[in-house]
Amino acid sequence: MTATEDPGVAALDSALAEDLTWLLQRVGSGLVGALDHVARRHGGSLRSVVVLRLLAACPPATQLALGSAAGLDKTTVTSALDALERAGWAVRRPSAHDRRARLAEITDAGRSWLAAVEPELARVEHELLADLPAGDREHLVRTLQRLASGSFAAAAPPSGSCV
């Protein structure tokens, strides 16, 4: 008898079928693990991907702005940028306008690394959503975007890392 044939397991799964926290955690945890595995095969991490995506999309940013955008606390942003600098994928420079602030920016090597890993990351995300009709996939992404930028998410202070 497999775990999926075990009536006890089926009853447990059924008991959690409407538990939003459990559902989001189960899907999110699996996705994070799969995406991090891809990034690590290329010498980085999912956190590297998140921070580099932000740096690629914006002008040089302060560590505070990066943390706010990514849902990372100050210590986690510093650690992520330390790793990106060691890899040669990002640099930090003092701000010309605020001597206390340092601005991070992506390097050409960081852009190349991100471009190399993105197709594999997209494939993993596509596999996750493959069982959903196209309309449901689009609706799910739009709904998650609204939730991620809504008042509930904005009220939650960063506490470590989303990845």
Side-chain angles (χ1 to χ4, degrees), residues 22-95:
W22 182 82
L23 292 167
L24 288 171
Q25 177 61 30
R26 183 169 178 154
V27 173
S29 180
L31 182 59
V32 164
L35 295 174
D36 193 56
H37 179 74
V38 168
R40 288 188 184 283
R41 282 199 329 257
H42 289 268
S45 67
L46 184 53
R47 190 172 293 154
S48 303
V49 172
V50 169
V51 174
L52 287 175
R53 281 176 174 168
L54 288 169
L55 292 175
C58 66
T62 65
Q63 293 177 197
L64 183 62
L66 284 172
S68 178
L72 303 172
D73 65 28
K74 181 181 175 182
T75 302
T76 305
V77 171
T78 300
S79 173
L81 288 170
D82 288 346
L84 293 173
E85 279 189 314
R86 280 192 303 275
W89 298 338
V91 294
R92 285 178 281 197
R93 295 185 172 86
S95 169

Side-chain angles (χ1 to χ4, degrees), residues 64-131:
L64 183 62
L66 284 172
S68 178
L72 303 172
D73 65 28
K74 181 181 175 182
T75 302
T76 305
V77 171
T78 300
S79 173
L81 288 170
D82 288 346
L84 293 173
E85 279 189 314
R86 280 192 303 275
W89 298 338
V91 294
R92 285 178 281 197
R93 295 185 172 86
S95 169
H97 306 292
D98 181 353
R99 63 186 170 108
R100 297 166 297 169
R102 296 182 65 187
L103 300 176
E105 61 185 295
I106 192 169
T107 63
D108 289 342
R111 287 184 196 285
S112 295
W113 182 83
L114 194 56
V117 76
E118 286 286 12
E120 286 185 61
L121 298 171
R123 180 188 48 78
V124 169
E125 290 177 356
H126 178 76
E127 288 173 5
L128 170 71
L129 302 175
D131 290 338

